[in-house]
Amino acid sequence: MDIWHVKGGRGLEGSCNVQGSKNASLPIIAASIVTPMECRLYNLPKLYDVDAALSILRHLGCRAEQQGNEAYIDSRPLSATYIPNELMEEMRSSVIFMGALLARCGEAKLSPPGGCQLGKRPIDLHLKALRELGADIVEDEGEIICKSRALKGRDISFPFPSVGATENLMLAACAAKGRTVIHNAAREPEIIALADFLRSAGAEISGAGTDKIEISGMHARKSAVCRIIPDRIAAASLCCACAACGGDIELKVSNPSQFSTVLYFLNEAGCDIINSTHSLRVVSNGKLRAVKGISTAPYPGFPTDAQPVLMAALLKADGESEIEENIFSNRYRQVPELRRLGAEIEVEGRTALIRGVNELHGAALSATDLRGGAAMIIAALSADGESVILDDGHVRRGYEDFDLCLSSLGGDIILES
């Protein structure tokens, strides 16, 4: 159990680096087993979810070691295709090992993935796409058993641009005979990062970052090197913290355009956003104005992962802000906890109305999920008095040294583990 002790009322100032991307790291770790090879990953964040992914590799027989923000993976000795439930339930992204194992071994056996309970997140699209490639998939007593003698490339269209299903299909298609074309593919920066890694390992992939991705097999190489891209959601969270508390911070991040929709609404709320070549500066007087029209959508729309932290930033904004959540049915789990701080939030179906209050006060809270936990920390930093947030490891699944980063910017926060 993690206990976050947060004293509010301080502005944030200074500069800090942005961690490596969680959502890019996990599929790249899974991709390391698509073909027998050695790979080195740089800027890999130290997170519970990364630990879980590396544990899966070791269970499968691979060598996987992380020291600081670097990791060495040797997938040549892979000897198993079964991932037990206790490893699968650690994180949602564990499902992407299905496509990787099919590509490498022609079989996989696993259970449905775990992770934050944000509402119904079926893996039907994953299974349907892999079946279209030629995989025989049986769901039996809580286990998913996948087998294929020979995957065959073909045109596959998604009804919705699912990130996970796109990644799973990309991994499996590396071993398919012929060309695979993914229509209505997810376009997130993490998809581009995965394609870049697979190309470095010998895959023939084009179109990543558009809604049409083509994969024409793989000429396997013996090694690959990858530097994980900065985490756009972690960067957005820090920007929202500055907006809520007031202050002047600089983030060392290479591509702020990857979360430009978040920056747009922070600017609409009254923050100054200043971009330079390799950094982003956010200036806030802490007196924001309400904004409307926030509606989560697949990339390049407003990211659902940033919805809770932007909500936290708007709790004291003058007027009534409005957010529409279109991705997950249960993504407002942070709302009852934010109300304990004195926030006025009304949820009607997919819409949340935030009526700005003059002040928030410290309270005892319980983190509900990864981004909801981050939202509570941000709100507590902007509240009067001290808050204590009980957290069953949610925040450290996706944020590396969040307490130290915020403390370096002037926040009064202590993590007791």
Side-chain angles (χ1 to χ4, degrees):
M1 176 66 70
D2 291 339
I3 305 174
W4 301 80
H5 300 270
V6 183
K7 291 182 181 179
R10 294 186 178 183
L12 302 183
E13 292 189 5
S15 64
C16 67
N17 293 317
V18 175
Q19 68 180 65
S21 169
K22 174 184 91 83
N23 291 335
S25 298
L26 302 180
I28 287 172
I29 289 172
S32 70
I33 67 171
V34 166
T35 186
M37 65 176 171
E38 297 176 279
C39 68
R40 294 190 179 275
L41 307 181
Y42 298 96
N43 199 36
L44 185 70
K46 296 177 289 183
L47 306 172
Y48 285 171
D49 273 11
V50 169
D51 291 342
L54 295 177
S55 293
I56 289 175
L57 288 187
R58 288 189 286 266
H59 171 81
L60 295 174
C62 305
R63 182 181 172 190
E65 303 170 353
Q66 182 177 8
Q67 293 186 346
N69 295 117
E70 298 181 13
Y72 169 76
I73 298 171
D74 183 356
S75 69
R76 292 174 299 181
L78 183 143
S79 57
T81 59
Y82 170 63
I83 304 175
N85 181 64
E86 58 266 26
L87 290 177
M88 286 295 298
E89 67 184 7
E90 290 295 317
M91 62 173 184
R92 175 70 185 175
S93 295
S94 55
V95 72
I96 58 179
F97 282 92
M98 183 164 48
L101 283 169
L102 273 174
R104 172 75 176 270
C105 306
E107 62 181 39
K109 183 179 179 182
L110 39 79
S111 58
C116 294
Q117 302 305 308
L118 302 177
K120 189 176 181 181
R121 294 195 284 177
I123 60 171
D124 297 0
L125 290 182
H126 301 242
L127 303 183
K128 182 177 184 295
L130 294 175
R131 284 182 174 123
E132 290 189 57
L133 274 190
D136 181 18
I137 302 175
V138 177
E139 299 176 72
D140 181 38
E141 295 183 355
E143 290 188 327
I144 303 170
I145 303 168
C146 313
K147 292 185 179 180
S148 176
R149 292 183 179 179
L151 299 174
K152 185 176 180 180
R154 58 174 300 174
D155 282 36
I156 297 175
S157 297
F158 288 130
F160 179 85
S162 164
V163 175
T166 299
E167 292 168 343
N168 240 332
L169 187 53
M170 289 170 66
L171 295 176
C174 288
K177 183 178 180 180
R179 186 183 68 163
T180 299
V181 182
I182 307 173
H183 298 276
N184 202 21
R187 295 185 284 169
E188 274 74 358
E190 295 79 16
I191 296 292
I192 299 174
L194 175 60
D196 288 342
F197 175 77
L198 288 171
R199 273 195 295 269
S200 74
E204 295 185 14
I205 299 178
S206 62
T210 74
D211 62 359
K212 180 181 176 182
I213 300 176
E214 298 186 17
I215 306 103
S216 301
M218 190 170 195
H219 301 286
R221 296 173 183 166
K222 296 181 179 179
S223 63
V225 176
C226 175
R227 182 172 183 84
I228 304 298
I229 61 174
D231 194 307
R232 60 194 174 99
I233 304 301
S237 300
L238 293 171
C239 293
C240 288
C242 180
C245 299
D248 184 345
I249 67 170
E250 181 183 39
L251 303 181
K252 298 174 184 177
V253 59
S254 56
N255 196 352
S257 65
Q258 292 179 347
F259 55 101
S260 61
T261 51
V262 181
L263 298 177
Y264 170 82
F265 285 111
L266 289 178
N267 183 244
E268 287 289 293
C271 297
D272 291 328
I273 309 296
I274 304 156
N275 286 313
S276 59
T277 306
H278 297 294
S279 68
L280 169 72
R281 185 179 168 201
V282 179
V283 182
S284 169
N285 62 9
K287 298 179 181 180
L288 304 182
R289 53 180 175 265
V291 294
K292 296 184 183 294
I294 304 166
S295 181
T296 64
Y299 191 86
F302 187 88
T304 181
D305 280 356
Q307 176 260 105
V309 294
L310 182 59
M311 175 183 285
L314 295 172
L315 296 180
K316 295 193 293 182
D318 183 29
E320 184 177 86
S321 299
E322 183 176 314
I323 298 175
E324 183 180 42
E325 173 57 58
N326 298 304
I327 306 300
F328 295 126
S329 61
N330 199 20
R331 187 110 225 200
Y332 291 133
R333 297 179 72 199
Q334 75 275 9
V335 168
E337 300 301 301
L338 295 178
R339 287 176 181 149
R340 293 176 183 270
L341 297 170
E344 293 188 7
I345 308 169
E346 180 181 346
V347 176
E348 298 178 357
R350 292 185 173 274
T351 302
L353 300 175
I354 304 105
R355 297 181 181 91
V357 296
N358 291 327
E359 61 181 28
L360 300 170
H361 52 78
L365 311 174
S366 294
T368 53
D369 56 82
L370 167 56
R371 306 304 175 184
M376 293 172 208
I377 292 171
I378 291 169
L381 285 170
S382 69
D384 295 329
E386 181 174 0
S387 297
V388 176
I389 303 166
L390 301 180
D391 173 20
D392 193 19
H394 292 297
V395 173
R396 288 206 282 174
R397 284 185 46 234
Y399 291 90
E400 177 183 351
D401 296 333
F402 201 40
D403 56 324
L404 300 181
C405 182
L406 289 167
S407 295
S408 73
L409 298 173
D412 191 340
I413 178 170
I414 297 174
L415 172 61
E416 177 186 349
S417 182

